[in-house]
Amino acid sequence: MNYQVIIPAAGLGKRMGAGKNKLLLHLNEVPVLIHTLLVFEDDEACDGIVLAVSPSDQEEIAKLIQRYHIHKVIAFAPGGKERQDSVYNALTLLDNDGIVLVHDAARPFIEKQFIHEVTAAASEYGAAVIGVPVKDTIKKVQDKKIVETVERSSLWSVQTPQAFRVSVLKEAHFLAQKDGFLGTDEASLVERLPFEITMVEGSYDNIKLTTPEDLYFAEAIIVKREKKEK
Ligand code: CTP
Ligand code: MG
């Protein structure tokens, strides 16, 4: 099942504290953004990438894309104030047909197997996301006091890619815009339609590079994969 993918890459990387967009930091001598793009470039089921970038990064990113021979970027969309705005700007560039994935540029370790599983589920049911069961016991806290222990067996951490029929995701974004609703992922917009979303179990390797210590985990994942290849 083929798909197009929106990759939001227009953040500021404030929590990483690198003084620039964290996606331009290098892992194994290759920028994070390129690691992510290469996964989709090398996936035969990917028909095209729409990349949301801030105008101040676009020239540098366009050069990197050339240098690493990435051919599937069909359009740049202007980054917006929030991630949701960046995705919206990219979404308006797509036709209404087929399946669209949204995948954070800051998750370079996504594997093809999970991309294909979430795409297949979206093609069957209309909406699907990747996630993993939470490992910690989660408490609800107010004013530094525990209010409740949330039943863990039903809790999942949600990642990307999140996959949708294009028409479903567009409708969800239009509704969110109409209501002034801001969500941290696409699923939270689609849930409001309402529309049932399938959870596909992914991998704990698919981390989002958010704070500096995530870079240590990233190095470890790279070492593990290099060993596996040998
Ligand atoms: N993103 C985006 N447009 C925004 C904000 C975020 O395209 N206005 C992208 C980021 O580039 C990233 C993904 O959305 O690939 C997930 O966001 P996050 O991890 O929060 O990255 P940043 O917003 O860059 O980091 P921070 O919140 O620490 O500033
Ligand atoms: Mg952010």
Side-chain angles (χ1 to χ4, degrees), residues 203-222:
S203 156
Y204 291 100
D205 275 7
N206 184 27
I207 58 169
K208 182 160 73 69
L209 302 178
T210 306
T211 54
E213 55 276 9
D214 292 327
L215 298 175
Y216 303 134
F217 298 127
E219 297 290 348
I221 293 168
I222 288 174

Side-chain angles (χ1 to χ4, degrees), residues 57-82:
D57 287 337
Q58 185 164 334
E59 200 184 318
E60 186 172 357
I61 289 176
K63 276 190 195 147
L64 286 174
I65 284 172
Q66 267 198 331
R67 183 163 149 219
Y68 286 94
H69 307 291
I70 290 164
H71 304 292
K72 287 190 183 170
V73 175
I74 51 173
F76 286 107
K81 185 168 172 287
E82 304 292 340

Side-chain angles (χ1 to χ4, degrees), residues 87-101:
V87 172
Y88 179 88
N89 291 344
L91 193 57
T92 56
L93 302 178
L94 295 183
D95 294 336
N96 270 349
D97 304 323
I99 299 294
V100 61
L101 269 56

Side-chain angles (χ1 to χ4, degrees), residues 42-63:
D42 293 341
D43 182 9
E44 57 293 341
C46 177
D47 284 339
I49 301 168
V50 180
L51 195 55
V53 295
S54 35
S56 57
D57 287 337
Q58 185 164 334
E59 200 184 318
E60 186 172 357
I61 289 176
K63 276 190 195 147

Side-chain angles (χ1 to χ4, degrees), residues 138-215:
I138 309 279
K139 309 277 189 194
K140 203 166 164 184
V141 176
Q142 267 165 15
D143 300 327
K144 293 203 175 158
K145 303 285 180 202
I146 293 174
V147 190
E148 191 189 333
T149 300
V150 191
E151 171 59 36
R152 189 173 57 194
S153 60
S154 62
L155 293 180
W156 288 61
S157 291
V158 179
Q159 307 171 341
T160 66
Q162 303 195 348
F164 308 92
R165 274 185 215 125
V166 179
S167 54
V168 171
L169 188 59
K170 280 194 178 176
E171 202 187 330
H173 265 271
F174 293 146
L175 182 69
Q177 196 160 63
K178 185 170 139 271
D179 297 345
F181 176 84
L182 195 63
T184 51
D185 71 347
E186 284 56 59
S188 55
L189 275 49
V190 173
E191 286 159 41
R192 299 178 70 250
L193 281 173
F195 194 96
E196 197 171 68
I197 304 168
T198 300
M199 178 63 80
V200 173
E201 185 160 0
S203 156
Y204 291 100
D205 275 7
N206 184 27
I207 58 169
K208 182 160 73 69
L209 302 178
T210 306
T211 54
E213 55 276 9
D214 292 327
L215 298 175

Side-chain angles (χ1 to χ4, degrees), residues 7-16 21-23 52-53 79-87 103-107 208-210:
I7 301 192
L12 296 171
K14 276 197 208 139
R15 287 169 288 175
M16 189 59 79
N21 189 340
K22 62 189 178 185
L23 304 174
V53 295
K81 185 168 172 287
E82 304 292 340
R83 179 185 176 284
Q84 183 174 318
D85 304 318
S86 300
V87 172
H103 182 69
D104 289 329
R107 292 187 191 270
K208 182 160 73 69
L209 302 178
T210 306

